[in-house]
């Protein structure tokens, strides 16, 4: 395994643990659910980065980077959603 791929897989595992611990702490909280979703997307993105480092050909690498770009495109809206819901007591009105 390549060093960069190993780091990517380690980051994916750690962010998955953070997301799981957040949901374990308070599973019915809306804010914690949105945070855990954002961390899960970060974990998927890191896993796809490690997966892309192990590509055998240029076509495989570009396809894996394309998948990573699709996942990464959901991140800004999800984290904006989290920041609106985390920063206010009346987040139901803002959403």
């Amino acid at each position: 395994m390549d060093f960069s791929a190993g780091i990517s897989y380690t980051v994916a595992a750690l962010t998955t643990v953070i997301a799981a611990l957040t949901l374990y702490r308070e599973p019915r909280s809306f804010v914690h659910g949105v945070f855990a979703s954002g961390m899960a997307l970060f974990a998927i993105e890191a896993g796809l980065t490690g997966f892309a480092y192990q590509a055998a050909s240029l076509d495989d690498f570009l396809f894996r980077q394309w998948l990573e770009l699709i996942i990464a495109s959901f991140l800004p809206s999800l984290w904006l959603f989290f920041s609106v819901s985390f920063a206010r007591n009346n987040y139901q009105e803002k959403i």
Side-chain angles (χ1 to χ4, degrees), residues 6-39:
I7 288 176
S8 296
Y9 291 141
T10 303
V11 168
L14 288 175
T15 54
T16 302
V17 168
I18 291 171
L21 287 175
T22 302
L23 286 178
Y24 176 74
R25 182 177 172 200
E26 194 170 341
R28 295 185 183 200
S29 173
F30 177 76
V31 175
H32 288 174
V34 174
F35 178 78
S37 300
M39 293 305 285

PDB file of all heavy atoms in Angstrom, residues 6-39:
ATOM      1  N   GLY A   6      -2.473   4.991   2.516  1.00  0.00           N
ATOM      2  CA  GLY A   6      -2.593   4.614   3.929  1.00  0.00           C
ATOM      3  C   GLY A   6      -3.061   5.762   4.800  1.00  0.00           C
ATOM      4  O   GLY A   6      -3.905   5.587   5.691  1.00  0.00           O
ATOM      5  N   ILE A   7      -2.532   6.947   4.538  1.00  0.00           N
ATOM      6  CA  ILE A   7      -2.974   8.120   5.287  1.00  0.00           C
ATOM      7  C   ILE A   7      -4.446   8.413   4.995  1.00  0.00           C
ATOM      8  O   ILE A   7      -5.218   8.730   5.904  1.00  0.00           O
ATOM      9  CB  ILE A   7      -2.084   9.335   4.956  1.00  0.00           C
ATOM     10  CG1 ILE A   7      -0.713   9.147   5.583  1.00  0.00           C
ATOM     11  CG2 ILE A   7      -2.713  10.629   5.451  1.00  0.00           C
ATOM     12  CD1 ILE A   7       0.263  10.230   5.255  1.00  0.00           C
ATOM     13  N   SER A   8      -4.840   8.301   3.744  1.00  0.00           N
ATOM     14  CA  SER A   8      -6.240   8.551   3.379  1.00  0.00           C
ATOM     15  C   SER A   8      -7.174   7.566   4.066  1.00  0.00           C
ATOM     16  O   SER A   8      -8.240   7.953   4.560  1.00  0.00           O
ATOM     17  CB  SER A   8      -6.410   8.473   1.871  1.00  0.00           C
ATOM     18  OG  SER A   8      -5.683   9.480   1.237  1.00  0.00           O
ATOM     19  N   TYR A   9      -6.803   6.312   4.097  1.00  0.00           N
ATOM     20  CA  TYR A   9      -7.645   5.311   4.754  1.00  0.00           C
ATOM     21  C   TYR A   9      -7.688   5.533   6.268  1.00  0.00           C
ATOM     22  O   TYR A   9      -8.717   5.303   6.903  1.00  0.00           O
ATOM     23  CB  TYR A   9      -7.164   3.902   4.436  1.00  0.00           C
ATOM     24  CG  TYR A   9      -7.373   3.509   3.000  1.00  0.00           C
ATOM     25  CD1 TYR A   9      -6.418   2.774   2.317  1.00  0.00           C
ATOM     26  CD2 TYR A   9      -8.516   3.874   2.312  1.00  0.00           C
ATOM     27  CE1 TYR A   9      -6.596   2.401   0.990  1.00  0.00           C
ATOM     28  CE2 TYR A   9      -8.709   3.519   0.989  1.00  0.00           C
ATOM     29  CZ  TYR A   9      -7.744   2.782   0.341  1.00  0.00           C
ATOM     30  OH  TYR A   9      -7.933   2.426  -0.969  1.00  0.00           O
ATOM     31  N   THR A  10      -6.577   5.992   6.858  1.00  0.00           N
ATOM     32  CA  THR A  10      -6.556   6.288   8.280  1.00  0.00           C
ATOM     33  C   THR A  10      -7.479   7.454   8.606  1.00  0.00           C
ATOM     34  O   THR A  10      -8.233   7.413   9.581  1.00  0.00           O
ATOM     35  CB  THR A  10      -5.121   6.607   8.742  1.00  0.00           C
ATOM     36  OG1 THR A  10      -4.270   5.502   8.419  1.00  0.00           O
ATOM     37  CG2 THR A  10      -5.062   6.875  10.222  1.00  0.00           C
ATOM     38  N   VAL A  11      -7.430   8.489   7.780  1.00  0.00           N
ATOM     39  CA  VAL A  11      -8.316   9.634   7.973  1.00  0.00           C
ATOM     40  C   VAL A  11      -9.770   9.209   7.814  1.00  0.00           C
ATOM     41  O   VAL A  11     -10.639   9.644   8.579  1.00  0.00           O
ATOM     42  CB  VAL A  11      -7.940  10.765   6.991  1.00  0.00           C
ATOM     43  CG1 VAL A  11      -9.005  11.840   6.956  1.00  0.00           C
ATOM     44  CG2 VAL A  11      -6.603  11.351   7.358  1.00  0.00           C
ATOM     45  N   ALA A  12     -10.053   8.360   6.849  1.00  0.00           N
ATOM     46  CA  ALA A  12     -11.423   7.871   6.660  1.00  0.00           C
ATOM     47  C   ALA A  12     -11.898   7.105   7.886  1.00  0.00           C
ATOM     48  O   ALA A  12     -13.039   7.268   8.326  1.00  0.00           O
ATOM     49  CB  ALA A  12     -11.499   6.994   5.411  1.00  0.00           C
ATOM     50  N   ALA A  13     -11.039   6.291   8.452  1.00  0.00           N
ATOM     51  CA  ALA A  13     -11.420   5.528   9.647  1.00  0.00           C
ATOM     52  C   ALA A  13     -11.648   6.448  10.838  1.00  0.00           C
ATOM     53  O   ALA A  13     -12.626   6.272  11.590  1.00  0.00           O
ATOM     54  CB  ALA A  13     -10.344   4.495   9.969  1.00  0.00           C
ATOM     55  N   LEU A  14     -10.785   7.436  11.023  1.00  0.00           N
ATOM     56  CA  LEU A  14     -10.934   8.342  12.160  1.00  0.00           C
ATOM     57  C   LEU A  14     -12.190   9.205  12.053  1.00  0.00           C
ATOM     58  O   LEU A  14     -12.888   9.422  13.050  1.00  0.00           O
ATOM     59  CB  LEU A  14      -9.698   9.230  12.291  1.00  0.00           C
ATOM     60  CG  LEU A  14      -8.437   8.537  12.795  1.00  0.00           C
ATOM     61  CD1 LEU A  14      -7.253   9.489  12.774  1.00  0.00           C
ATOM     62  CD2 LEU A  14      -8.652   7.985  14.188  1.00  0.00           C
ATOM     63  N   THR A  15     -12.488   9.686  10.865  1.00  0.00           N
ATOM     64  CA  THR A  15     -13.703  10.489  10.722  1.00  0.00           C
ATOM     65  C   THR A  15     -14.962   9.637  10.861  1.00  0.00           C
ATOM     66  O   THR A  15     -15.983  10.121  11.344  1.00  0.00           O
ATOM     67  CB  THR A  15     -13.721  11.258   9.390  1.00  0.00           C
ATOM     68  OG1 THR A  15     -13.516  10.346   8.316  1.00  0.00           O
ATOM     69  CG2 THR A  15     -12.682  12.335   9.361  1.00  0.00           C
ATOM     70  N   THR A  16     -14.878   8.379  10.484  1.00  0.00           N
ATOM     71  CA  THR A  16     -16.004   7.473  10.712  1.00  0.00           C
ATOM     72  C   THR A  16     -16.226   7.260  12.205  1.00  0.00           C
ATOM     73  O   THR A  16     -17.377   7.243  12.675  1.00  0.00           O
ATOM     74  CB  THR A  16     -15.764   6.127  10.012  1.00  0.00           C
ATOM     75  OG1 THR A  16     -15.574   6.354   8.618  1.00  0.00           O
ATOM     76  CG2 THR A  16     -16.924   5.180  10.215  1.00  0.00           C
ATOM     77  N   VAL A  17     -15.145   7.140  12.951  1.00  0.00           N
ATOM     78  CA  VAL A  17     -15.257   6.986  14.402  1.00  0.00           C
ATOM     79  C   VAL A  17     -15.863   8.241  15.026  1.00  0.00           C
ATOM     80  O   VAL A  17     -16.721   8.151  15.909  1.00  0.00           O
ATOM     81  CB  VAL A  17     -13.877   6.661  15.017  1.00  0.00           C
ATOM     82  CG1 VAL A  17     -13.882   6.788  16.522  1.00  0.00           C
ATOM     83  CG2 VAL A  17     -13.439   5.265  14.609  1.00  0.00           C
ATOM     84  N   ILE A  18     -15.450   9.419  14.569  1.00  0.00           N
ATOM     85  CA  ILE A  18     -16.003  10.662  15.090  1.00  0.00           C
ATOM     86  C   ILE A  18     -17.501  10.746  14.798  1.00  0.00           C
ATOM     87  O   ILE A  18     -18.294  11.137  15.664  1.00  0.00           O
ATOM     88  CB  ILE A  18     -15.245  11.877  14.513  1.00  0.00           C
ATOM     89  CG1 ILE A  18     -13.833  11.926  15.078  1.00  0.00           C
ATOM     90  CG2 ILE A  18     -15.982  13.176  14.813  1.00  0.00           C
ATOM     91  CD1 ILE A  18     -12.939  12.940  14.412  1.00  0.00           C
ATOM     92  N   ALA A  19     -17.896  10.375  13.592  1.00  0.00           N
ATOM     93  CA  ALA A  19     -19.326  10.398  13.246  1.00  0.00           C
ATOM     94  C   ALA A  19     -20.113   9.411  14.103  1.00  0.00           C
ATOM     95  O   ALA A  19     -21.209   9.725  14.583  1.00  0.00           O
ATOM     96  CB  ALA A  19     -19.513  10.078  11.769  1.00  0.00           C
ATOM     97  N   ALA A  20     -19.559   8.233  14.319  1.00  0.00           N
ATOM     98  CA  ALA A  20     -20.251   7.228  15.133  1.00  0.00           C
ATOM     99  C   ALA A  20     -20.360   7.669  16.591  1.00  0.00           C
ATOM    100  O   ALA A  20     -21.402   7.486  17.222  1.00  0.00           O
ATOM    101  CB  ALA A  20     -19.522   5.892  15.035  1.00  0.00           C
ATOM    102  N   LEU A  21     -19.301   8.260  17.120  1.00  0.00           N
ATOM    103  CA  LEU A  21     -19.347   8.737  18.500  1.00  0.00           C
ATOM    104  C   LEU A  21     -20.339   9.885  18.667  1.00  0.00           C
ATOM    105  O   LEU A  21     -20.999   9.994  19.697  1.00  0.00           O
ATOM    106  CB  LEU A  21     -17.955   9.182  18.957  1.00  0.00           C
ATOM    107  CG  LEU A  21     -16.950   8.073  19.224  1.00  0.00           C
ATOM    108  CD1 LEU A  21     -15.587   8.653  19.555  1.00  0.00           C
ATOM    109  CD2 LEU A  21     -17.434   7.172  20.341  1.00  0.00           C
ATOM    110  N   THR A  22     -20.454  10.716  17.662  1.00  0.00           N
ATOM    111  CA  THR A  22     -21.414  11.808  17.721  1.00  0.00           C
ATOM    112  C   THR A  22     -22.837  11.270  17.753  1.00  0.00           C
ATOM    113  O   THR A  22     -23.673  11.749  18.528  1.00  0.00           O
ATOM    114  CB  THR A  22     -21.232  12.743  16.508  1.00  0.00           C
ATOM    115  OG1 THR A  22     -19.900  13.228  16.497  1.00  0.00           O
ATOM    116  CG2 THR A  22     -22.185  13.898  16.567  1.00  0.00           C
ATOM    117  N   LEU A  23     -23.112  10.290  16.927  1.00  0.00           N
ATOM    118  CA  LEU A  23     -24.455   9.696  16.938  1.00  0.00           C
ATOM    119  C   LEU A  23     -24.711   8.880  18.200  1.00  0.00           C
ATOM    120  O   LEU A  23     -25.840   8.802  18.680  1.00  0.00           O
ATOM    121  CB  LEU A  23     -24.661   8.829  15.709  1.00  0.00           C
ATOM    122  CG  LEU A  23     -24.870   9.585  14.406  1.00  0.00           C
ATOM    123  CD1 LEU A  23     -25.006   8.604  13.250  1.00  0.00           C
ATOM    124  CD2 LEU A  23     -26.089  10.473  14.486  1.00  0.00           C
ATOM    125  N   TYR A  24     -23.675   8.269  18.740  1.00  0.00           N
ATOM    126  CA  TYR A  24     -23.820   7.478  19.958  1.00  0.00           C
ATOM    127  C   TYR A  24     -24.133   8.378  21.155  1.00  0.00           C
ATOM    128  O   TYR A  24     -24.912   8.004  22.026  1.00  0.00           O
ATOM    129  CB  TYR A  24     -22.544   6.682  20.222  1.00  0.00           C
ATOM    130  CG  TYR A  24     -22.560   5.908  21.505  1.00  0.00           C
ATOM    131  CD1 TYR A  24     -23.325   4.757  21.629  1.00  0.00           C
ATOM    132  CD2 TYR A  24     -21.825   6.334  22.605  1.00  0.00           C
ATOM    133  CE1 TYR A  24     -23.352   4.040  22.813  1.00  0.00           C
ATOM    134  CE2 TYR A  24     -21.848   5.638  23.794  1.00  0.00           C
ATOM    135  CZ  TYR A  24     -22.604   4.489  23.890  1.00  0.00           C
ATOM    136  OH  TYR A  24     -22.637   3.799  25.068  1.00  0.00           O
ATOM    137  N   ARG A  25     -23.530   9.566  21.161  1.00  0.00           N
ATOM    138  CA  ARG A  25     -23.701  10.478  22.288  1.00  0.00           C
ATOM    139  C   ARG A  25     -25.143  10.955  22.417  1.00  0.00           C
ATOM    140  O   ARG A  25     -25.691  10.980  23.524  1.00  0.00           O
ATOM    141  CB  ARG A  25     -22.766  11.660  22.119  1.00  0.00           C
ATOM    142  CG  ARG A  25     -22.829  12.642  23.233  1.00  0.00           C
ATOM    143  CD  ARG A  25     -21.819  13.739  23.040  1.00  0.00           C
ATOM    144  NE  ARG A  25     -22.037  14.778  24.035  1.00  0.00           N
ATOM    145  CZ  ARG A  25     -21.615  15.994  23.923  1.00  0.00           C
ATOM    146  NH1 ARG A  25     -20.936  16.335  22.857  1.00  0.00           N
ATOM    147  NH2 ARG A  25     -21.847  16.872  24.846  1.00  0.00           N
ATOM    148  N   GLU A  26     -25.731  11.381  21.330  1.00  0.00           N
ATOM    149  CA  GLU A  26     -27.126  11.830  21.360  1.00  0.00           C
ATOM    150  C   GLU A  26     -27.763  11.517  20.006  1.00  0.00           C
ATOM    151  O   GLU A  26     -27.732  12.325  19.089  1.00  0.00           O
ATOM    152  CB  GLU A  26     -27.187  13.325  21.648  1.00  0.00           C
ATOM    153  CG  GLU A  26     -28.551  13.798  22.032  1.00  0.00           C
ATOM    154  CD  GLU A  26     -28.539  15.221  22.549  1.00  0.00           C
ATOM    155  OE1 GLU A  26     -27.487  15.721  22.943  1.00  0.00           O
ATOM    156  OE2 GLU A  26     -29.615  15.807  22.544  1.00  0.00           O
ATOM    157  N   PRO A  27     -28.337  10.334  19.849  1.00  0.00           N
ATOM    158  CA  PRO A  27     -28.803   9.885  18.528  1.00  0.00           C
ATOM    159  C   PRO A  27     -30.025  10.624  17.990  1.00  0.00           C
ATOM    160  O   PRO A  27     -30.237  10.659  16.786  1.00  0.00           O
ATOM    161  CB  PRO A  27     -29.119   8.407  18.743  1.00  0.00           C
ATOM    162  CG  PRO A  27     -29.332   8.252  20.187  1.00  0.00           C
ATOM    163  CD  PRO A  27     -28.506   9.310  20.869  1.00  0.00           C
ATOM    164  N   ARG A  28     -30.813  11.256  18.836  1.00  0.00           N
ATOM    165  CA  ARG A  28     -32.031  11.905  18.354  1.00  0.00           C
ATOM    166  C   ARG A  28     -31.865  13.398  18.095  1.00  0.00           C
ATOM    167  O   ARG A  28     -32.812  14.057  17.705  1.00  0.00           O
ATOM    168  CB  ARG A  28     -33.153  11.687  19.350  1.00  0.00           C
ATOM    169  CG  ARG A  28     -33.510  10.229  19.433  1.00  0.00           C
ATOM    170  CD  ARG A  28     -34.685  10.022  20.316  1.00  0.00           C
ATOM    171  NE  ARG A  28     -34.933   8.583  20.400  1.00  0.00           N
ATOM    172  CZ  ARG A  28     -36.063   8.077  20.763  1.00  0.00           C
ATOM    173  NH1 ARG A  28     -37.063   8.859  21.097  1.00  0.00           N
ATOM    174  NH2 ARG A  28     -36.213   6.779  20.821  1.00  0.00           N
ATOM    175  N   SER A  29     -30.684  13.918  18.303  1.00  0.00           N
ATOM    176  CA  SER A  29     -30.442  15.336  18.084  1.00  0.00           C
ATOM    177  C   SER A  29     -30.294  15.622  16.584  1.00  0.00           C
ATOM    178  O   SER A  29     -29.546  14.947  15.879  1.00  0.00           O
ATOM    179  CB  SER A  29     -29.172  15.782  18.812  1.00  0.00           C
ATOM    180  OG  SER A  29     -28.841  17.106  18.472  1.00  0.00           O
ATOM    181  N   PHE A  30     -31.011  16.629  16.119  1.00  0.00           N
ATOM    182  CA  PHE A  30     -30.949  17.008  14.703  1.00  0.00           C
ATOM    183  C   PHE A  30     -29.563  17.527  14.336  1.00  0.00           C
ATOM    184  O   PHE A  30     -29.003  17.160  13.301  1.00  0.00           O
ATOM    185  CB  PHE A  30     -32.019  18.064  14.411  1.00  0.00           C
ATOM    186  CG  PHE A  30     -31.986  18.571  13.006  1.00  0.00           C
ATOM    187  CD1 PHE A  30     -32.480  17.792  11.975  1.00  0.00           C
ATOM    188  CD2 PHE A  30     -31.456  19.805  12.711  1.00  0.00           C
ATOM    189  CE1 PHE A  30     -32.441  18.242  10.673  1.00  0.00           C
ATOM    190  CE2 PHE A  30     -31.418  20.268  11.417  1.00  0.00           C
ATOM    191  CZ  PHE A  30     -31.915  19.487  10.395  1.00  0.00           C
ATOM    192  N   VAL A  31     -29.009  18.366  15.191  1.00  0.00           N
ATOM    193  CA  VAL A  31     -27.704  18.963  14.923  1.00  0.00           C
ATOM    194  C   VAL A  31     -26.624  17.887  14.884  1.00  0.00           C
ATOM    195  O   VAL A  31     -25.755  17.897  14.010  1.00  0.00           O
ATOM    196  CB  VAL A  31     -27.378  20.050  15.969  1.00  0.00           C
ATOM    197  CG1 VAL A  31     -25.986  20.591  15.788  1.00  0.00           C
ATOM    198  CG2 VAL A  31     -28.395  21.159  15.910  1.00  0.00           C
ATOM    199  N   HIS A  32     -26.678  16.943  15.798  1.00  0.00           N
ATOM    200  CA  HIS A  32     -25.689  15.861  15.800  1.00  0.00           C
ATOM    201  C   HIS A  32     -25.829  14.971  14.571  1.00  0.00           C
ATOM    202  O   HIS A  32     -24.838  14.453  14.054  1.00  0.00           O
ATOM    203  CB  HIS A  32     -25.815  15.033  17.071  1.00  0.00           C
ATOM    204  CG  HIS A  32     -25.324  15.750  18.285  1.00  0.00           C
ATOM    205  ND1 HIS A  32     -25.455  15.237  19.544  1.00  0.00           N
ATOM    206  CD2 HIS A  32     -24.707  16.944  18.449  1.00  0.00           C
ATOM    207  CE1 HIS A  32     -24.947  16.068  20.421  1.00  0.00           C
ATOM    208  NE2 HIS A  32     -24.486  17.118  19.769  1.00  0.00           N
ATOM    209  N   GLY A  33     -27.052  14.783  14.117  1.00  0.00           N
ATOM    210  CA  GLY A  33     -27.263  13.989  12.905  1.00  0.00           C
ATOM    211  C   GLY A  33     -26.680  14.655  11.669  1.00  0.00           C
ATOM    212  O   GLY A  33     -26.066  13.997  10.827  1.00  0.00           O
ATOM    213  N   VAL A  34     -26.855  15.979  11.571  1.00  0.00           N
ATOM    214  CA  VAL A  34     -26.288  16.706  10.429  1.00  0.00           C
ATOM    215  C   VAL A  34     -24.761  16.704  10.505  1.00  0.00           C
ATOM    216  O   VAL A  34     -24.081  16.520   9.501  1.00  0.00           O
ATOM    217  CB  VAL A  34     -26.853  18.144  10.370  1.00  0.00           C
ATOM    218  CG1 VAL A  34     -26.180  18.952   9.286  1.00  0.00           C
ATOM    219  CG2 VAL A  34     -28.349  18.116  10.143  1.00  0.00           C
ATOM    220  N   PHE A  35     -24.220  16.877  11.718  1.00  0.00           N
ATOM    221  CA  PHE A  35     -22.766  16.827  11.882  1.00  0.00           C
ATOM    222  C   PHE A  35     -22.219  15.450  11.504  1.00  0.00           C
ATOM    223  O   PHE A  35     -21.201  15.345  10.812  1.00  0.00           O
ATOM    224  CB  PHE A  35     -22.384  17.166  13.327  1.00  0.00           C
ATOM    225  CG  PHE A  35     -20.914  17.096  13.598  1.00  0.00           C
ATOM    226  CD1 PHE A  35     -20.085  18.120  13.205  1.00  0.00           C
ATOM    227  CD2 PHE A  35     -20.362  15.994  14.228  1.00  0.00           C
ATOM    228  CE1 PHE A  35     -18.730  18.057  13.447  1.00  0.00           C
ATOM    229  CE2 PHE A  35     -19.013  15.918  14.474  1.00  0.00           C
ATOM    230  CZ  PHE A  35     -18.184  16.956  14.079  1.00  0.00           C
ATOM    231  N   ALA A  36     -22.879  14.406  11.960  1.00  0.00           N
ATOM    232  CA  ALA A  36     -22.427  13.049  11.635  1.00  0.00           C
ATOM    233  C   ALA A  36     -22.518  12.779  10.135  1.00  0.00           C
ATOM    234  O   ALA A  36     -21.658  12.100   9.573  1.00  0.00           O
ATOM    235  CB  ALA A  36     -23.239  12.021  12.416  1.00  0.00           C
ATOM    236  N   SER A  37     -23.530  13.328   9.483  1.00  0.00           N
ATOM    237  CA  SER A  37     -23.633  13.178   8.022  1.00  0.00           C
ATOM    238  C   SER A  37     -22.478  13.866   7.316  1.00  0.00           C
ATOM    239  O   SER A  37     -21.916  13.323   6.362  1.00  0.00           O
ATOM    240  CB  SER A  37     -24.954  13.759   7.525  1.00  0.00           C
ATOM    241  OG  SER A  37     -26.030  13.110   8.104  1.00  0.00           O
ATOM    242  N   GLY A  38     -22.120  15.058   7.783  1.00  0.00           N
ATOM    243  CA  GLY A  38     -20.978  15.761   7.193  1.00  0.00           C
ATOM    244  C   GLY A  38     -19.677  15.007   7.406  1.00  0.00           C
ATOM    245  O   GLY A  38     -18.842  14.913   6.500  1.00  0.00           O
ATOM    246  N   MET A  39     -19.497  14.462   8.590  1.00  0.00           N
ATOM    247  CA  MET A  39     -18.282  13.689   8.853  1.00  0.00           C
ATOM    248  C   MET A  39     -18.268  12.401   8.040  1.00  0.00           C
ATOM    249  O   MET A  39     -17.213  11.950   7.594  1.00  0.00           O
ATOM    250  CB  MET A  39     -18.157  13.389  10.351  1.00  0.00           C
ATOM    251  CG  MET A  39     -17.923  14.627  11.205  1.00  0.00           C
ATOM    252  SD  MET A  39     -16.498  15.600  10.691  1.00  0.00           S
ATOM    253  CE  MET A  39     -15.170  14.586  11.282  1.00  0.00           C
TER     254      MET A  39
END
